[in-house]
Amino acid sequence: ASLAEERASAEELLSEALEEEDGDDEMCDECREELSRIEKEESAVGAAAIDAVLPRDDDDYGSDAVLEVRAGTGGDEAGLFASELLGAYERAAKDRGWKVETLGRTSTDLGGIKDAALSISGSGAGGGGDSSSPSHSLDALGPYGYFKFESGVHRVQRVPVNDVRIHTSAASVAVLPAPSDDGGRSS
C-alpha cells in the first residue's frame, strides 16, 4: 500500500476510535504512533526525491553568495519592483539565520533601486549545515545553493497607485558563489 493509503487508513481508524463512547485509548495511541511513523517516512521519501532531482554541486552546500539585483525596463516602477525583490531576498536570508551585508546600492528618487548587491554568508539553514553530510536536503543548502535558481530576469505586471493602466516592469538577478579569502570559492 502507498503511504497515502496507509495515512488515510490510520486516520480513519483514529477517527473511529475517538468516536467510540468507551474510547479505546490503546487503539488511539497505536494510531497516533502509526501516523507519526508515516510522517517520518513521507519526509524521508520527499528528501530522497529532492536529492534525486537536484544535480550535485559542491558549491550548493558550502558557498556563500553574492546576489545582485538591477532594475530593468519599466522606469520608476522597475526600480520599485527591484527594491521589493531585494527586500524579499534579504528577509529570506535572515529567516534562515544567514548574515546579510549590503555591498552597494544605488537608490532612485521614489525609494526604488537602480542596482544593489548583497553578500550572504552562513551554512545550511540556521547556520548549522554540514557540507560533508551525505544528505542534500533543502535545509542543508548554503546561501549560493539556496538562491542560485533566482538568477535571471523577473517580470511583474501591476497597476501603480497613481495610474489606471497595467505597467510591466522587469529586474535582473545574478547570484554567484562568493570568492573565499584564499582566492578560490568559499566553503
Side-chain angles (χ1 to χ4, degrees):
S2 73
L3 287 175
E5 291 169 343
E6 287 182 39
R7 174 185 282 282
S9 176
E11 287 172 344
E12 184 180 333
L13 284 172
L14 179 59
S15 160
E16 289 173 6
L18 290 172
E19 288 175 1
E20 291 181 11
E21 288 182 22
D22 57 355
D24 188 352
D25 290 339
E26 188 176 323
M27 177 63 106
C28 289
D29 290 342
E30 286 183 35
C31 288
R32 286 186 184 105
E33 286 176 20
E34 182 67 8
L35 284 170
S36 176
R37 181 197 63 79
I38 291 169
E39 286 174 10
K40 287 177 185 171
E41 197 169 329
E42 285 174 335
S43 178
V45 168
I50 289 170
D51 290 347
V53 172
L54 291 179
R56 173 74 172 133
D57 182 353
D58 289 333
D59 286 335
D60 288 351
Y61 301 94
S63 290
D64 295 337
V66 174
L67 187 143
E68 180 183 71
V69 178
R70 290 181 178 268
T73 58
D76 291 332
E77 277 296 312
L80 294 171
F81 175 52
S83 179
E84 289 176 13
L85 278 175
L86 184 71
Y89 295 137
E90 284 182 283
R91 283 188 301 280
K94 288 178 181 175
D95 286 349
R96 294 179 70 79
W98 294 330
K99 180 182 172 199
V100 178
E101 178 185 347
T102 301
L103 300 176
R105 182 182 180 118
T106 307
S107 298
T108 65
D109 294 336
L110 293 178
I113 61 167
K114 291 181 182 177
D115 58 68
L118 302 175
S119 171
I120 304 171
S121 57
S123 59
D130 178 8
S131 61
S132 64
S133 169
S135 171
H136 305 297
S137 73
L138 292 177
D139 288 338
L141 290 174
Y144 174 70
Y146 188 77
F147 287 111
K148 74 178 183 178
F149 293 112
E150 291 296 321
S151 290
V153 176
H154 297 258
R155 183 182 82 129
V156 67
Q157 291 183 309
R158 59 183 172 188
V159 178
V161 293
N162 60 349
D163 204 344
V164 293
R165 298 173 295 159
I166 295 176
H167 286 248
T168 300
S169 303
S172 66
V173 176
V175 181
L176 303 168
S180 66
D181 293 336
D182 63 5
R185 290 190 171 159
S186 65
S187 55

